[in-house]
Amino acid sequence: MKIIIATVIVAAILGLLLGVLLGLFKKVFAVKVDPKIEQIISFLSGGNCGGCGYAGCAAFAQAVVKGEAPVTGCVAGGEATAKKIAEILGVAGGSAQKKVAFLACHGTNECAKSKGIYNGVKTCAAAQLTANGTKLCAFGCIGLGDCVEACQFGALSMGKDGLPVVDRSKCTGCAKCVKTCPKKLFTLFDANTKGSVAVCANKSDNKPQIRKDCSAGCFKCGMCAKKCPEGCIDVSSGIPVVDYSKCTSCGECIKACPDKVLTLFQQA
């Protein structure tokens, strides 16, 4: 019994000594954290989305305090967060233009033909790796929702037509969907962009195959560029690319396109 009591006493004394020593080490080797960093973190989304280019919100806060990142770097927080950060640092706020994601595909289940029944892991990444997608169109949306799972802000959902739908009111432009999509179908646009945009990413010049794979695919007829009064559409890459510094949203290209590949961004 005495041995047990002695053991308990010794253990208690050792525990107390270790606690004191750890407390001393903490004080001696403590890394001083700039209070501005903590303040900035409190105004960030906390989603650690990586849209700022850093590993997370804490890393971005440290970088912006050091002057290595702009106060407008938090795309998820937008202009309101940029202003708060600027106030904390005592610098000019600048302008954080809101960005939103756009899907360059309108190959719905009805338009884009399937390769067959896919029995693999139900993710776009797995389907791309094992079968180069689930549809005959090698450029089209796979439709298994990896982008929806990746979105931390609830801005993406799967539509009944088999394509993801972007809710621009919730989209923060964090670019998670851009990085996640194995087909690289998402692009970030300034939210106030006006002009036509292509909802197809098929750059193939095999016209018969395009028609066979997807009835909504761009047929490379070039009518959009020919009919554009401003000459702001370039089709040399295989899909229409619009120069928004020239586009007036007149809609002539949209009327000319037989496949309805073009739409006005502000109405999409």
Side-chain angles (χ1 to χ4, degrees):
M1 186 68 180
K2 291 181 179 179
I3 295 174
I4 295 174
I5 294 172
T7 302
V8 171
I9 292 172
V10 171
I13 293 171
L14 287 174
L16 179 62
L17 287 173
L18 285 172
V20 171
L21 288 173
L22 286 173
L24 289 173
F25 273 116
K26 184 177 180 181
K27 287 184 178 180
V28 173
F29 297 102
V31 178
K32 293 183 179 180
V33 179
D34 191 324
K36 291 180 180 178
I37 294 176
E38 297 296 331
Q39 285 181 281
I40 291 172
I41 290 174
S42 70
F43 286 111
L44 300 178
S45 69
N48 295 315
C49 63
C52 59
Y54 290 87
C57 294
F60 167 71
Q62 292 176 23
V64 79
V65 168
K66 291 179 181 179
E68 298 172 355
V71 296
T72 57
C74 179
V75 293
E79 193 165 358
T81 298
K83 287 181 179 178
K84 290 290 185 181
I85 295 174
E87 289 175 8
I88 293 169
L89 297 179
V91 297
S95 179
Q97 178 61 52
K98 176 179 170 61
K99 291 184 180 295
V100 293
F102 178 80
L103 178 72
C105 180
H106 68 157
T108 63
N109 290 334
E110 184 179 347
C111 300
K113 294 181 180 180
S114 173
K115 288 182 176 180
I117 298 174
Y118 174 68
N119 291 319
V121 178
K122 301 299 182 181
T123 67
C124 298
Q128 173 65 17
L129 183 64
T130 58
N132 192 30
T134 58
K135 297 175 182 177
L136 290 178
C137 176
F139 300 87
C141 175
I142 296 172
L144 294 177
D146 287 17
C147 53
V148 176
E149 290 295 322
C151 182
Q152 297 175 309
F153 302 97
L156 280 166
S157 60
M158 288 304 299
K160 293 180 180 179
D161 61 1
L163 295 176
V165 179
V166 180
D167 183 340
R168 293 184 184 177
S169 66
K170 295 180 180 179
C171 184
T172 63
C174 72
K176 270 293 182 69
C177 56
V178 177
K179 298 172 185 175
T180 300
C181 179
K183 294 292 188 180
K184 306 302 178 185
L185 293 175
F186 283 98
T187 304
L188 291 185
F189 279 82
D190 287 342
N192 61 357
T193 296
K194 292 184 179 180
S196 59
V197 63
V199 285
C200 180
N202 192 334
K203 296 182 179 181
S204 171
D205 58 0
N206 188 339
K207 294 183 180 181
Q209 192 65 43
I210 293 171
R211 278 283 185 263
K212 180 182 178 182
D213 295 344
C214 180
S215 60
C218 177
F219 196 59
K220 325 303 178 195
C221 65
M223 290 303 297
C224 53
K226 294 174 184 176
K227 294 293 184 179
C228 177
E230 307 300 327
C232 64
I233 299 179
D234 179 17
V235 293
S236 61
S237 68
I239 55 172
V241 177
V242 179
D243 182 345
Y244 294 105
S245 66
K246 298 178 181 179
C247 184
T248 62
S249 295
C250 68
E252 290 302 314
C253 58
I254 297 172
K255 296 175 186 176
C257 180
D259 300 308
K260 306 302 178 186
V261 168
L262 288 159
T263 186
L264 290 179
F265 179 80
Q266 60 268 35
Q267 296 176 0

